[in-house]
Amino acid sequence: DTGVSQDPRHKITKRGQNVTFRCDPISEHNRLYWYRQTLGQGPEFLTYFQNEAQLEKSRLLSDRFSAERPKGSFSTLEIQRTEQGDSAMYLCAIQRHSRQTPGTGELFFGEGSRLTVL
Amino acid sequence: GEDVEQSLFLSVREGDSSVINCTYTDSSSTYLYWYKQEPGAGLQLLTYIFSNMDMKQDQRLTVLLNKKDKHLSLRIADTQTGDSAIYFCAEIPLLGGSYIPTFGRGTSLIVHP
């Protein structure tokens, strides 16, 4: 158990529909990341939050992608007007570190939400 | 280069050693990581090395770091079929100040009897 729960695990949708993925970090953490992973590739950074602040969103793939994190708890990633090229695994990860426990910067990943756009 | 680079595939016989190589981008990265991804699962940290170290050993795993060449390797001794997975090299580049973990494309390790 990595302390990160993602839902749904698999979403099949038709092109043009909107989809939303949810990430619930169960464990204490500082940062929450969203990555996309396509077949044969490593995780590709999309955006991240520090508490409820979204500190980097320029790497979101297009203006159809948006992420939110109300109240600094769970996070959602929405894709509007989905395209076949959006088919991928969407990974959420948390990073735990603080001044008291600097840690090593490792990420704890959820199992991902797989999107298939028909 | 600007990307974390890894070879895509490695095939070994059970019981042999596996060596997976990686070239990273930022010589100021404080920690370098190896993550493992099994089929249908998320990534899990396998091991890491602090940048002031040349080598780290953890049971069957040995990590070697060459900071001058920005080269990282992972050696798995006595490779087992359960080691078959995709292995990702990762760094947290300090350049630019965002400290965003950056991953390679992954090396698919295939272990055959």
Side-chain angles (χ1 to χ4, degrees), chain A residues 9 31 33 35 37 40-43 45 48 56 59 91 95 103-107 109-111, chain B residues 8 31 33 35 37 40-45 48 88 92 98-106:
Chain A
R9 292 291 309 278
R31 289 186 173 187
Y33 293 84
Y35 285 83
Q37 186 180 21
Q41 301 292 324
F45 170 76
Y48 83 93
E56 173 63 67
R59 310 258 278 269
L91 299 169
Q95 190 177 46
T104 61
E106 75 174 277
L107 295 182
F109 283 87
E111 295 195 334
Chain B
L8 295 183
Y31 288 97
Y33 309 85
Y35 285 81
Q37 186 178 34
L43 281 74
Q44 282 197 298
L45 183 72
Y48 67 91
F88 294 92
I92 300 182
S98 61
Y99 313 116
I100 294 169
T102 304
F103 292 81
R105 290 181 63 181

Side-chain angles (χ1 to χ4, degrees), chain B residues 79-94:
Chain B
T79 314
Q80 302 297 308
T81 54
D83 295 324
S84 294
I86 304 175
Y87 292 81
F88 294 92
C89 172
E91 63 173 340
I92 300 182
L94 302 187

